[in-house]
Amino acid sequence: MRQAPFAGHELRELVVDCIETDDEPEPFRTTTRRRLDEEIGSFDPQVVHVHGVSLLGHLVLETGAPYLISAFSEDFLSEPDGLVADSPIQQAFENAARVLVDSPAARQSIQDQFGELDTIAIIPDMTAASSPADSYAWLWEVYRLVAATRRAP
């Protein structure tokens, strides 16, 4: 987990990366949820950005913090059975303020498995941007939309 004000803006972002672990699901869930609660309680992020497709999205959902998920093709297109319907992962996708994907194929795969979600956006090609700040201007707009879903404490 990384805390960071979004570059050049006053928005507080918490980035949560997918964690590979051999731990049993319940201890992992309990420990990770406790860490998330502590981090969110002390930092009070306006946006939580979940990187990857995992149980972490559902744990963030449980905290009540506004969040988005970045789901890349390699996260799930190589899985023979795809993502599991009626699972915590599906609940995380359905409740995310935004889901960012890297390709039309990734978008279609999510919709094939979970149904039509109007929160999915394809990440734009940033190679034509004139500067690093320009390349992330679109993400700032996404963060503003997600932060607007935040409930008052």
Side-chain angles (χ1 to χ4, degrees), residues 78-151:
S78 61
E79 295 293 323
D81 298 326
L83 301 173
V84 180
D86 298 323
S87 70
I89 291 174
Q90 180 175 359
Q91 292 172 14
F93 273 81
E94 291 173 345
N95 289 284
R98 288 286 181 273
V99 175
L100 305 178
V101 296
D102 61 345
S103 70
R107 175 188 216 150
Q108 190 60 53
S109 180
I110 291 169
Q111 291 179 335
D112 289 347
Q113 295 173 71
F114 299 149
E116 189 70 30
L117 298 175
D118 61 358
T119 57
I120 299 176
I122 298 173
I123 298 168
D125 179 6
M126 295 183 287
T127 57
S130 60
S131 72
D134 289 343
S135 68
Y136 286 99
W138 67 272
L139 187 57
W140 167 244
E141 291 305 315
V142 171
Y143 278 9
R144 278 189 340 97
L145 290 169
V146 173
T149 68
R150 187 174 194 227
R151 289 175 243 140

Side-chain angles (χ1 to χ4, degrees), residues 2-153:
R2 298 186 308 271
Q3 299 177 2
F6 192 78
H9 302 282
E10 294 300 317
L11 190 80
R12 292 180 311 282
E13 167 198 26
L14 178 64
V15 177
V16 182
D17 293 310
C18 184
I19 300 169
E20 296 292 327
T21 180
D22 292 329
D23 291 350
E24 291 298 316
E26 196 50 42
F28 169 78
R29 184 183 210 300
T30 303
T31 302
T32 305
R33 176 59 198 275
R34 187 175 350 101
R35 284 186 55 215
L36 272 171
D37 287 343
E38 290 169 0
E39 199 78 19
I40 289 170
S42 67
F43 183 58
D44 189 30
Q46 293 163 292
V47 174
V48 178
H49 189 161
V50 180
H51 287 187
V53 177
S54 72
L55 179 61
L56 286 172
H58 191 262
L59 295 177
V60 172
L61 166 63
E62 291 177 347
T63 69
Y67 69 100
L68 69 140
I69 298 172
S70 288
F72 298 98
S73 298
E74 65 267 13
D75 290 336
F76 54 89
L77 290 179
S78 61
E79 295 293 323
D81 298 326
L83 301 173
V84 180
D86 298 323
S87 70
I89 291 174
Q90 180 175 359
Q91 292 172 14
F93 273 81
E94 291 173 345
N95 289 284
R98 288 286 181 273
V99 175
L100 305 178
V101 296
D102 61 345
S103 70
R107 175 188 216 150
Q108 190 60 53
S109 180
I110 291 169
Q111 291 179 335
D112 289 347
Q113 295 173 71
F114 299 149
E116 189 70 30
L117 298 175
D118 61 358
T119 57
I120 299 176
I122 298 173
I123 298 168
D125 179 6
M126 295 183 287
T127 57
S130 60
S131 72
D134 289 343
S135 68
Y136 286 99
W138 67 272
L139 187 57
W140 167 244
E141 291 305 315
V142 171
Y143 278 9
R144 278 189 340 97
L145 290 169
V146 173
T149 68
R150 187 174 194 227
R151 289 175 243 140

